Amino acid sequence: MYRYNFERRHGGIGYLTPKQKLLKLELRISSEENSKARSDKPQRSAESRTVNQSTTINSNQFVAKVVG
């Protein structure tokens, strides 16, 4: 059983051992989760800032409303 899962290469999974294939899948899933977590964060421009952790104010819009 050990040889089958950790040493013997299988043609059906690209001549990898089942353990190697599992590790590649875990790495791919982990990197996909990390990239998804990064893309879930709101993108802010240099002119914007977050107020009270929920409201984003663009400085140009604020100045236009106050002055305009």
Side-chain angles (χ1 to χ4, degrees):
M1 187 62 99
Y2 178 85
R3 184 179 184 294
Y4 184 86
N5 288 319
F6 293 93
E7 296 174 357
R8 182 176 178 271
R9 298 181 185 275
H10 299 261
I13 55 174
Y15 294 98
L16 299 171
T17 66
K19 180 64 176 178
Q20 290 171 329
K21 183 68 173 179
L22 179 63
L23 289 174
K24 285 180 88 172
L25 289 174
E26 287 176 350
L27 288 173
R28 190 182 84 209
I29 290 169
S30 176
S31 66
E32 288 173 357
E33 288 174 349
N34 287 339
S35 64
K36 183 180 183 305
R38 276 188 249 125
S39 67
D40 288 345
K41 292 180 182 176
Q43 299 294 323
R44 295 188 300 163
S45 69
E47 299 172 344
S48 299
R49 67 180 189 133
T50 302
V51 179
N52 296 334
Q53 299 176 350
S54 63
T55 306
T56 301
I57 297 175
N58 184 310
S59 59
N60 289 340
Q61 292 172 343
F62 181 75
V63 170
K65 287 182 180 181
V66 172
V67 175

